[in-house]
Amino acid sequence: MSLKQLLAHASPLRSGDVLAGVAATSQEQRIRARIALADIPLRQILNEPIIPYESDEVTRLICDSHDESAFQPISSLCVGDFRDWLLTASADQLNAVAPAVTPEMAAAVSKLMRNQDLILVASRCHVVTRFRTTIGLPGRLATRLQPNHPSDDLHGIAASTLDGLSLASGDACIGVNPATDSVATTTAILRMLDDLRLKLNIPTQSCVLAHVTTLMEVIRQGAPVDLVFQSIAGTEAANQSFGINLALLDEAWQATKELRRGENVMYFETGQGSALSANAHHGIDQQTCEARAYAVARRYSPLLVNTVVGFIGPEYLYDGKQILRAGLEDHFCGKLMGVPMGCDICYTNHAEADQDDMDNLLTLLGTAGCNYIMGVPGADDIMLHYQSTSFHDALYLRSLLGLKPAPEFEAWLETRPPVLDQTWLLT
């Protein structure tokens, strides 16, 4: 059995792998695959790409960027030994080996781990990034304030933004998914958010989640761009379906750095099932494909990365149990690879899931040290039509676990007026 097949058969049951025809056909086959996978040396995983080097630029990125020096402490281990090593490794040890962990190594070891293992190891992986706020510090939980509007109405976006700010949301960023991906709409939203930031002296960064090519044109026209966003996937073909490749991301990264507005300037979103939905998965299970997307993200030292874990739908993650496991896997794999992982804890209305399932995942990710979550008015995104987490959900998690916002944002919250000046909306 090939490594690709072994990884797929060892993966926990999920509807996307069944749909792709790569899943184990029984629990016995799944356990046998995990036993066999535990004996695979990490060096073998490094030397046997599951997509040929010659035919996929993500594979070339993974191989060419591998840090052999950082690999030395774990180079003699097999996957099962690597699991044992991770469970006792310190935060410094985990940070040191992160550049050497390939997506396939991370995915392989995650398939041998219980949920508590994923939580424990991820809680020790601290990936800190900075713009106007510092994200990922221990004892902190940030939020992306997501004030989407179905018609991109600036007053509606501003009203939701002020609502979120008053409930201590927005320290990761204020990020708007535009209903219309155009230069004019993107520019108008960015200028409004930057005006609001300056008027209220808010230590945060804004982002309009338009396509990277739209944002590059917005930059050329002189709009105030903090972060460049793009959805990414784990294979070259899947990224082509998004209209991107590494050369384009390189160009966008360089253009945004040249603005000199902040240190980490990229924002990426991922999600299990994206490669399968584009028929670009090469027979690889969806969780391993997802981990490969983190290698793409890692290249650009992003401020934020998050898995939109239940957004694609029940064809890929059928119910609350599958969504919960996928969220913990994604967070673990990203953090293990040195990626600043957050999570959009979410589901679509046709999935076998509800808000109680999201509460469970929210709480578990909080204990796992998730960098940030979403803050959506009422947890119900009225533009994207899916269910996520609300401003109050972040307050619950901070209260439960004694977590605080990003330090710069916390200081602003302590000094701002008791009521945000909503007369700004009328100007």
Side-chain angles (χ1 to χ4, degrees), residues 45-223:
I45 294 176
L46 179 64
N47 292 336
E48 296 180 11
I50 56 177
I51 304 177
Y53 182 94
E54 299 76 16
S55 62
D56 185 89
E57 68 173 2
V58 177
T59 296
R60 292 193 290 274
L61 169 63
I62 293 167
C63 295
D64 295 346
S65 63
H66 184 256
D67 189 327
E68 182 63 29
S69 176
F71 188 50
Q72 289 309 304
I74 58 173
S75 61
S76 64
L77 303 180
C78 62
V79 177
D81 293 333
F82 186 37
R83 172 187 174 275
D84 295 340
W85 184 89
L86 288 172
L87 290 173
T88 58
S90 68
D92 288 343
Q93 289 175 309
L94 291 167
N95 182 64
V97 302
V101 178
T102 69
E104 290 81 3
M105 293 177 195
V109 74
S110 75
K111 297 175 193 298
L112 306 186
M113 302 177 88
R114 295 169 56 184
N115 288 359
Q116 66 176 246
D117 300 336
L118 299 174
I119 293 167
L120 179 64
V121 176
S123 72
R124 297 178 183 148
C125 297
H126 307 303
V127 184
V128 180
T129 56
R130 294 175 176 85
F131 200 94
R132 296 187 188 95
T133 54
T134 305
I135 312 300
L137 292 169
R140 305 278 175 172
L141 174 71
T143 62
R144 169 194 156 191
L145 204 171
Q146 186 170 306
N148 295 344
H149 193 279
S151 65
D152 291 327
D153 179 80
L154 295 183
H155 283 78
I157 293 170
S160 293
T161 299
L162 291 170
D163 186 25
L165 289 169
S166 70
L167 290 167
S169 184
D171 46 341
C173 75
I174 302 171
V176 179
N177 299 86
T180 303
D181 191 330
S182 71
V183 171
T185 296
T186 299
T187 299
I189 297 172
L190 283 171
R191 291 193 184 282
M192 182 273 290
L193 291 176
D194 203 53
D195 188 24
L196 174 61
R197 177 183 67 83
L198 292 171
K199 285 188 175 184
L200 297 179
N201 196 30
I202 311 165
T204 190
Q205 36 284 333
S206 61
C207 181
V208 175
L209 283 69
H211 192 268
V212 64
T213 53
T214 303
L215 290 164
M216 290 169 68
E217 180 59 32
V218 168
I219 290 173
R220 283 190 282 268
Q221 294 189 12

Side-chain angles (χ1 to χ4, degrees), residues 223-305:
V225 175
D226 289 339
L227 305 175
V228 162
F229 167 82
Q230 183 55 48
S231 295
I232 56 173
T235 71
E236 179 179 349
N239 282 324
Q240 287 174 346
S241 76
F242 290 148
I244 62 167
N245 55 34
L246 296 182
L248 181 61
L249 293 178
D250 287 347
E251 183 181 353
W253 184 36
Q254 187 62 39
T256 314
K257 287 196 298 182
E258 289 175 358
L259 297 176
R260 300 186 184 278
R261 293 173 68 88
E263 182 176 340
N264 302 106
V265 298
M266 303 295 279
Y267 174 16
F268 296 117
E269 285 189 342
T270 67
Q272 289 194 28
S274 59
L276 175 57
S277 65
N279 194 27
H281 60 98
H282 297 271
I284 301 168
D285 70 274
Q286 65 185 39
Q287 190 246 333
T288 303
C289 279
E290 169 73 5
R292 286 170 59 93
Y294 306 150
V296 176
R298 182 167 60 179
R299 174 180 176 86
Y300 301 101
S301 302
L303 180 74
L304 306 169
V305 178

Side-chain angles (χ1 to χ4, degrees), residues 367-423:
T367 64
C370 189
N371 277 23
Y372 72 103
I373 62 171
M374 304 299 126
V376 177
D380 182 8
D381 193 300
I382 59 174
M383 195 280 283
L384 292 173
H385 302 294
Y386 78 116
Q387 309 303 311
S388 184
T389 45
S390 71
F391 308 138
H392 293 88
D393 290 330
L395 295 178
Y396 147 75
L397 198 58
R398 286 170 177 163
S399 175
L400 176 71
L401 300 177
L403 303 173
K404 296 180 178 181
E408 303 87 350
F409 195 77
E410 181 187 20
W412 176 77
L413 289 170
E414 291 173 347
T415 59
R416 68 171 176 80
V419 179
L420 289 168
D421 181 10
Q422 305 230 1
T423 60

